[in-house]
Amino acid sequence: MSTILAIGILFLVACLVYVSSTDHWRWPMLWVLLCATPAQASDFYLNLGVGASMGQRTTMNGTWFQEGQPYKMTLTDLGGKVGIGYRVSPEWALELNALSFGQVRSAGFAVPDEYYIPEKHRPKDGAPKPNHFDARQRSYGGELVAVRSFEWWGVQPFLTAGVFATLNDMPYTIVDVPAGQTFHEQYTGYTVGIVGGGGICWQYLCADASYYRGMGSSGYPISKSFLVPMLSLKVPL
């Protein structure tokens, strides 16, 4: 199982590296066509979904927020996916989807890191006046999942499991309040992990929920794990 997981992660990372070096990531369907494996057209279906992307705060106190200082996190946004599925059998399918988790945001006030004591949730004595910050994380990437479907009273419950990888763009702004200066910076990183979920389909219309559990990341993401309930269409090609 660990070998399959590693191969899947490497496959997704290779596709992401390719598309991140060009403008192709702006076109999800092109991303899917570039990375998909050819098969008989009659076994393919188009997967289109939209729903609520609910991020989990996985950053620690002192990174993008400071306990004891005013701040606000917005972790829910519109998410979606578009991809191609291939039915291996009536019960099993493989899906390759481009996905977006939308945006998560953290904004508030913070003193410079060297003046903050995370363990005590307060600044050091003599710390300067807090600066205002506004950080926004936009995550987009892809997933490779296996789908196991069942027949039950005219509907098709299903379970999914697989791997995912995203690129994270994080522009942020810091306003030096005492000096009245504004600074714009940006982090870029990645998240890789596993995904599992389930749902139910009636003809082409499906409702499901998936949990994306980030296992590794770079670039100081605000959130690397997401819960995404979604409505989708699975249309035969």
Side-chain angles (χ1 to χ4, degrees):
M1 183 64 183
S2 60
T3 301
I4 296 175
L5 177 62
I7 292 173
I9 291 175
L10 288 174
F11 173 79
L12 285 174
V13 170
C15 290
L16 287 171
V17 168
Y18 172 77
V19 297
S20 65
S21 64
T22 69
D23 289 332
H24 292 161
W25 67 266
R26 301 178 186 275
W27 305 95
M29 281 306 298
L30 181 56
W31 189 94
V32 170
L33 292 174
L34 284 171
C35 297
T37 301
Q40 295 181 7
S42 59
D43 297 322
F44 278 119
Y45 60 89
L46 181 64
N47 187 27
L48 302 170
V50 64
S53 175
M54 297 179 284
Q56 291 188 327
R57 188 184 75 185
T58 51
T59 184
M60 303 296 291
N61 180 26
T63 304
W64 303 127
F65 75 100
Q66 291 179 349
E67 295 287 357
Q69 302 286 349
Y71 72 93
K72 180 181 179 180
M73 285 194 176
T74 304
L75 299 176
T76 300
D77 198 11
L78 186 67
K81 68 171 64 175
V82 55
I84 290 178
Y86 173 64
R87 298 193 184 282
V88 181
S89 71
E91 296 83 18
W92 288 94
L94 293 174
E95 290 185 2
L96 182 63
N97 299 308
L99 56 87
S100 171
F101 293 136
Q103 174 181 275
V104 296
R105 179 184 181 187
S106 180
F109 291 86
V111 297
D113 292 344
E114 60 269 24
Y115 290 99
Y116 184 68
I117 309 174
E119 299 81 7
K120 297 184 178 180
H121 297 177
R122 67 172 182 83
K124 296 179 180 178
D125 294 336
K129 187 175 182 180
N131 298 322
H132 181 265
F133 70 91
D134 187 346
R136 308 183 184 204
Q137 172 190 328
R138 302 181 183 94
S139 300
Y140 48 87
E143 64 176 354
L144 178 64
V145 296
V147 183
R148 175 64 166 94
S149 299
F150 306 88
E151 284 290 338
W152 182 72
W153 288 77
V155 295
Q156 296 80 43
F158 63 91
L159 299 173
T160 61
V163 294
F164 78 97
T166 63
L167 296 173
N168 306 318
D169 282 339
M170 289 194 61
Y172 66 97
T173 302
I174 297 177
V175 179
D176 187 335
V177 176
Q181 295 179 317
T182 301
F183 303 92
H184 300 279
E185 301 289 344
Q186 178 159 341
Y187 283 116
T188 300
Y190 68 87
T191 299
V192 295
I194 57 177
V195 55
I200 191 167
C201 289
W202 178 71
Q203 296 186 0
Y204 300 156
L205 180 63
C206 302
D208 67 272
S210 298
Y211 180 60
Y212 295 84
R213 175 70 167 88
M215 308 295 289
S217 63
S218 68
Y220 307 104
I222 298 171
S223 177
K224 62 181 181 181
S225 297
F226 295 83
L227 176 64
V228 186
M230 185 173 291
L231 290 176
S232 61
L233 290 174
K234 299 182 186 293
V235 183
L237 296 178

